[in-house]
Amino acid sequence: MEDHTGFMRIPRVEAGKQFPGTRVRHWHEYERIMPAGQACSQALRCMDCGTPGCHAYCPVHNLIPDWNLLVSESDWHSAWEQLESTNNFPEFTGRICSAPCEHACTLTINSRPVTIRSIELAIVEHAWRAGWIRPRRAHRRLFRRVAIIGSGPAGLACAQQLVRSGYQVTVYEKADRPGGLLRYGIPDFRLEKAVLDRRLAQLAAEGIRFRTGIHVGRDLGVRDLQRNVHAIVVATGAEQPRDLDVPGRTLRGIHFALDFLCQQNRRVAGSEVDPASAISATGRNVVVIGGGDTGSDCVGTAIRQGARKVIQIQYHDRPAPGPDRLLYWPQPVPGWRVSDHGAEGCQYLWGCNTIRFEGWGGRVRRVVLQPLCWQTSADGVLRKRPGGGPLQYLAADLVLLAMGYAHTRHAGLLQELALDLDACGNIAAADRSFSTSTEGVFACGDSRRGQSLVVWAIREGRQCARAVDTCLSGDSVLPEV
């Protein structure tokens, strides 16, 4: 960096968000895109570290110090070229990634990190406005066909890398529109679907063929598909939700998070939802069980639907304020601050275990909780035990189970392909070759590594594309990451 003391003089200033009272009245994105001048100033905070933790802890190994320098000099085109070289979809990661790069920023040790995610988003949106992002057709055409099953970020990244190398790529999606979790799992207030459609149009123009509404293994036979392609990539994600096996689970009004989120995304898109199976938080007491991103998305959606009250149950204890950062860096430092949805009106309960649901008339009316204590055992494992406090009773007309996803779905496709599974129930595929137990079949993304971040899905898709290219052509010039 030309200014080696910028991090000492310039405070961290974030891009900004709409006020809570305004944003809960609509479904649009509420995080603002950082203006160019502010992004240039914030990029000057980059310390030009000798060993940049941000680069090392970014799964796609974004060249973060490089494009921070270029942005600080207002060289937006070069910054975009650097960003595009490692990340197929920075407009997605710039919006919904939890930014492990910022946790690993050296400034985090005794200050606040560089606004890496906001600068990344500013770069890619600048590139879209300037018209630098165009379809890039392959210079050669290979008469080899690859079928990719699943159109989430892993499948799309793999497809783009392969089609740019000359392969004939078809992406199969069981839903009516492509995008996978990006389409129906992420609410529009975090990722508006016009952003997704803009990128999908580019991918189609590059030659990727999308076939939607086709559930491979049910609507299209696996054997028929295998006879017509040279390789299959399974990128179906981790869709099997974790359930809660407690008394009262079968009461009406208890739903998995993805069912709830998917319905609302369909409504926003203008699609009809069957009234008989509709899930609505309007006027209800909502309890969300699970404290991760999916649980947070449920909270924000319930608030915008007009819930009477929303409570999110956190399994672990509330993080202590002001932890010693050196004990954790470059890993995320546990800590608590008011979340976006806390500012919108959500209430939180920490260290509670759900022991049963109660109701009458066949519908849930109460959630019964037991306090938990977390202790580190002699072998260093954090274990839970009942805290001995009084039971807590929460009024609940709607309960959303957002405890994450166990593994990919096994029925149908995976069974027909006779794929081996690992101990966690994910598809067993080698780390470098991404090959499965069935010849010609590869796997990547959450279906292979389990539930993870969107940036890990993009990395998996890119690496899998290189593995497929190497297998079919004998070598590959695609990047390893």
Side-chain angles (χ1 to χ4, degrees):
M1 304 292 289
E2 291 187 5
D3 185 348
H4 292 282
T5 62
F7 68 93
M8 300 172 65
R9 298 180 296 97
I10 303 170
R12 175 182 168 109
V13 179
E14 301 189 16
K17 302 169 184 177
Q18 279 188 331
F19 290 112
T22 300
R23 67 191 187 224
V24 297
R25 296 190 179 99
H26 62 74
W27 295 97
H28 301 293
E29 293 177 10
Y30 62 84
E31 286 197 42
R32 297 188 176 96
I33 297 172
M34 186 173 282
Q38 183 181 342
C40 293
S41 174
Q42 289 297 297
L44 283 170
R45 297 185 71 238
C46 184
M47 297 176 65
D48 194 17
C49 306
T51 305
C54 58
H55 169 75
Y57 274 79
C58 173
V60 294
H61 295 334
N62 277 332
L63 304 171
I64 296 166
D66 297 47
W67 43 255
N68 272 334
L69 171 61
L70 294 166
V71 169
S72 72
E73 297 172 344
S74 296
D75 189 352
W76 290 92
H77 190 270
S78 296
W80 161 244
E81 290 180 329
Q82 291 278 30
L83 180 56
E84 184 191 33
S85 69
T86 57
N87 189 349
N88 295 70
F89 313 123
E91 67 269 36
F92 302 157
T93 53
R95 285 173 166 86
I96 63 176
C97 182
S98 59
C101 54
E102 292 194 17
H103 296 296
C105 175
T106 305
L107 268 177
T108 306
I109 296 174
N110 65 349
S111 181
R112 302 182 67 197
V114 177
T115 54
I116 298 171
R117 186 168 68 93
S118 294
I119 295 172
E120 176 185 31
L121 183 57
I123 294 171
V124 65
E125 290 300 327
H126 191 112
W128 278 108
R129 289 193 302 270
W132 299 333
I133 304 178
R134 302 188 184 96
R136 200 165 74 200
R137 305 285 296 196
H139 296 299
R140 58 174 183 170
R141 184 174 177 83
L142 302 174
F143 294 96
R144 295 186 178 91
R145 297 178 296 277
V146 179
I148 297 177
I149 305 173
S151 64
L156 294 179
C158 184
Q160 184 171 56
Q161 294 293 94
L162 287 173
V163 79
R164 286 178 171 180
S165 296
Y167 291 91
Q168 300 177 45
V169 180
T170 302
V171 175
Y172 292 88
E173 171 57 55
K174 65 182 178 182
D176 59 338
R177 303 175 189 181
L181 191 68
L182 299 171
R183 172 77 65 184
Y184 289 123
I186 306 295
D188 284 64
F189 55 78
R190 289 183 63 205
L191 175 66
E192 289 198 57
K193 301 309 172 270
V195 174
L196 173 60
D197 291 334
R198 177 180 65 182
R199 180 61 77 171
L200 289 170
Q202 183 214 21
L203 299 180
E206 289 182 346
I208 298 172
R209 182 187 181 196
F210 291 97
R211 297 193 63 187
T212 57
I214 297 179
H215 193 160
V216 178
R218 187 177 67 188
D219 304 321
L220 174 63
V222 170
R223 303 305 171 211
D224 293 334
L225 182 61
Q226 286 178 303
R227 282 193 292 268
N228 290 291
V229 299
H230 297 89
I232 294 175
V233 176
V234 179
T236 50
E239 291 186 307
Q240 185 63 48
R242 291 190 174 93
D243 207 344
L244 198 57
D245 186 16
V246 297
R249 171 64 181 87
T250 57
L251 290 168
R252 296 194 308 276
I254 303 173
H255 303 275
F256 289 118
L258 193 58
D259 296 335
F260 174 66
L261 296 173
C262 180
Q263 281 194 8
Q264 182 55 40
N265 282 13
R266 290 184 180 278
R267 292 189 189 98
V268 174
S271 301
E272 291 187 5
V273 175
D274 183 4
S277 59
I279 308 169
S280 176
T282 306
R284 298 187 182 278
N285 293 311
V286 180
V287 173
V288 178
I289 302 176
D293 288 342
T294 301
S296 181
D297 290 342
C298 288
V299 168
T301 300
I303 290 172
R304 284 159 178 75
Q305 285 187 355
R308 180 186 304 165
K309 186 177 183 180
V310 181
I311 297 178
Q312 187 174 18
I313 299 173
Q314 307 274 0
Y315 195 57
H316 292 284
D317 290 331
R318 178 170 175 165
D324 186 348
R325 297 175 185 177
L326 285 176
L327 294 177
Y328 300 95
W329 184 87
Q331 300 291 341
V333 179
W336 169 248
R337 63 189 178 103
V338 177
S339 69
D340 285 357
H341 301 313
E344 294 170 1
C346 177
Q347 299 177 26
Y348 299 93
L349 284 178
W350 297 87
C352 291
N353 192 30
T354 304
I355 60 173
R356 68 176 180 271
F357 300 110
E358 296 179 350
W360 51 88
R363 185 171 185 88
V364 66
R365 297 300 179 187
R366 291 200 307 189
V367 178
V368 184
L369 305 174
Q370 182 180 49
L372 288 174
C373 283
W374 291 87
Q375 294 181 334
T376 303
S377 61
D379 56 359
V381 177
L382 198 63
R383 302 185 187 278
K384 65 175 182 176
R385 65 175 180 81
L391 298 182
Q392 191 165 356
Y393 298 83
L394 298 181
D397 307 302
L398 175 63
V399 177
L400 301 172
L401 305 180
M403 301 167 296
Y405 303 89
H407 47 69
T408 190
R409 295 191 187 276
H410 299 159
L413 174 65
L414 269 62
Q415 292 176 342
E416 287 198 38
L417 286 172
L419 300 182
D420 289 346
L421 306 175
D422 64 17
C424 295
N426 304 309
I427 299 173
D431 284 338
R432 295 185 64 86
S433 70
F434 291 83
S435 56
T436 68
S437 56
T438 299
E439 186 178 358
V441 179
F442 302 80
C444 65
D446 289 2
S447 62
R448 188 191 82 93
R449 66 176 284 116
Q451 176 186 326
S452 191
L453 304 176
V454 63
V455 67
W456 269 108
I458 293 172
R459 170 180 171 142
E460 290 260 318
R462 290 169 62 88
Q463 290 181 310
C464 185
R466 177 182 171 87
V468 172
D469 188 23
T470 301
C471 177
L472 296 182
S473 299
D475 196 8
S476 179
V477 296
L478 291 172
E480 292 188 22
V481 178

